[in-house]
Amino acid sequence: MQSSGQQHLEHLEQNSAGRAFCLWGMPGIGKSHALEGKFRLLAPQVLRLNPTTDASWNGFSIVVLEDLHLIPDGKSWALEQAAKLENYPGLTLWTTHRSPLPPPFVNLEWPALNRLETDPLLKTQLKALTPPEALEWIYSRTLGHPQFALEYLRYLSRQGFLWSDGTHWRWRNPPEHFFPPTVEALVQGWTRIFTAQSPEKRVLESAALLPEDADEKLRASVVDLPLERWKAARDTLEREGLLRGMQPSHPLMGEGILRGLSSEAHTHYSRKILSALEAAGVQPTPALVSGARLDASHTLELYSRLAQEAR
């Protein structure tokens, strides 16, 4: 069964000669894997290019530039390569990136897997009948992100929540806050390009705590940035696939960011956000109240307000 993304790739391929395509999406969503699968049977016709490669394009029908985010000034380099297509009218250029590229690139966002696509991925790993409850639980947490799904599967097995009796796989529910350290490590690795006190890191960390309906002005005030500087940092984070709009690009991205915060930083952000929300007349979440570690009377007052609001 083909995924919706694979079907879209095939549709584009029907009229691809002389064109440049960008497959983009958040980290770990499967962009490079998708291109690898697409061109596996065409390997002799595919030239994989990087800035250190000085190879002729003659004799190839496909040129692939992967992981532009790892290449210094990768976008400019990709545009230079795309400009060469006029000299090779029968050739197609493909690249992967974490955000769309400008023309002449045709952009295709690589989607998360749906449930019908995630289940076979996990079943292939276990090579045996998998409890439906396990598949449902993993999908409910990972929402079709293939790398997260595989890390959850492995950690559940290592921790004994998914185990084999030699004939069948068995399942028991993990605790509520079960979170694989390998997922946290992935998230921390993706965010490590920003230094601890950089505007981008502060905007990203605060985004993991802020409610979705917090506006731009409030978000900028929480991290003590002028609005224009906050927007520039937000745009950078979107280009890196770490934010989508003003929120982390995946719920587990947000949770991984929070788990990487020191207790002092978590408390600092929570208090700043609480203060900003109160000034704006917006109710905080219980998690923010807990994270702020206020004195007992103030905490009780805020919880009482939340309880009244919920009635």
Side-chain angles (χ1 to χ4, degrees):
M1 180 185 67
Q2 287 187 318
S3 70
S4 57
Q6 289 168 330
Q7 291 171 4
H8 200 163
L9 279 180
E10 286 201 356
H11 175 72
L12 290 176
E13 187 67 14
Q14 293 172 9
N15 187 27
S16 64
R19 303 174 73 189
F21 298 94
C22 174
L23 198 61
W24 70 277
M26 68 172 292
I29 202 66
K31 305 178 293 293
S32 294
H33 180 76
L35 284 192
E36 181 182 342
K38 177 177 177 56
F39 299 132
R40 184 176 293 117
L41 299 179
L42 302 174
Q45 304 173 41
V46 178
L47 171 64
R48 296 187 180 276
L49 204 61
N50 62 63
T52 64
T53 305
D54 185 18
S56 169
W57 291 17
N58 291 320
F60 295 98
S61 61
I62 301 160
V63 173
V64 176
L65 325 173
E66 287 188 83
D67 295 331
L68 288 185
H69 65 281
L70 298 177
I71 300 171
D73 206 13
K75 183 171 77 171
S76 296
W77 178 69
L79 290 170
E80 291 174 4
Q81 306 311 306
K84 297 178 182 178
L85 283 174
E86 62 184 28
N87 300 320
Y88 301 90
L91 191 144
T92 305
L93 179 67
W94 284 89
T95 186
T96 60
H97 199 26
R98 290 181 175 176
S99 56
L101 291 175
F105 280 93
V106 177
N107 291 288
L108 168 63
E109 182 179 8
W110 190 249
L113 304 176
N114 61 36
R115 175 67 191 277
L116 293 178
E117 296 160 351
T118 303
D119 285 5
L121 172 70
L122 301 177
K123 290 177 180 178
T124 299
Q125 296 295 309
L126 295 179
K127 298 181 175 62
L129 187 64
T130 309
E133 300 86 352
L135 299 174
E136 181 178 354
W137 191 95
I138 292 172
Y139 187 79
S140 73
R141 295 328 190 256
T142 61
L143 304 178
H145 188 290
Q147 194 164 7
F148 288 161
L150 291 173
E151 294 302 335
Y152 262 83
L153 181 73
R154 292 164 187 146
Y155 194 59
L156 286 163
S157 180
R158 287 199 298 270
Q159 296 297 305
F161 295 101
L162 182 62
W163 75 99
S164 174
D165 61 8
T167 305
H168 299 96
W169 284 92
R170 306 293 183 181
W171 167 256
R172 62 189 177 96
N173 282 325
E176 181 180 357
H177 299 294
F178 184 88
F179 195 84
T182 49
V183 171
E184 181 179 346
L186 282 171
V187 173
Q188 294 303 315
W190 294 332
T191 63
R192 199 170 290 133
I193 58 174
F194 303 112
T195 58
Q197 293 304 314
S198 67
E200 289 79 11
K201 196 64 171 285
R202 287 150 52 199
V203 169
L204 183 62
E205 291 172 343
S206 61
L209 278 166
L210 278 155
E212 289 187 25
D213 57 356
D215 62 26
E216 294 180 345
K217 186 176 179 180
L218 186 149
R219 289 170 182 271
S221 71
V222 165
V223 290
D224 299 317
L225 287 175
L227 184 57
E228 290 307 309
R229 185 65 188 89
W230 177 88
K231 288 181 178 179
R234 186 271 315 275
D235 291 347
T236 298
L237 292 165
E238 278 203 294
R239 286 194 295 272
E240 290 296 327
L242 302 175
L243 285 187
R244 188 69 178 259
M246 295 189 291
Q247 293 298 113
S249 53
H250 191 284
L252 295 180
M253 182 79 76
E255 188 169 348
I257 291 164
L258 290 181
R259 286 174 176 267
L261 288 178
S262 66
S263 59
E264 293 80 6
H266 197 147
T267 299
H268 168 77
Y269 282 124
S270 296
R271 289 180 177 179
K272 290 277 289 185
I273 293 169
L274 271 179
S275 177
L277 292 178
E278 286 186 318
V282 178
Q283 288 286 6
T285 63
L288 273 175
V289 175
S290 174
R293 299 184 181 182
L294 303 170
D295 61 75
S297 60
H298 195 177
T299 299
L300 182 59
E301 177 189 348
L302 289 171
Y303 277 136
S304 297
R305 280 194 224 161
L306 290 173
Q308 291 174 1
E309 188 75 16
R311 288 174 185 167

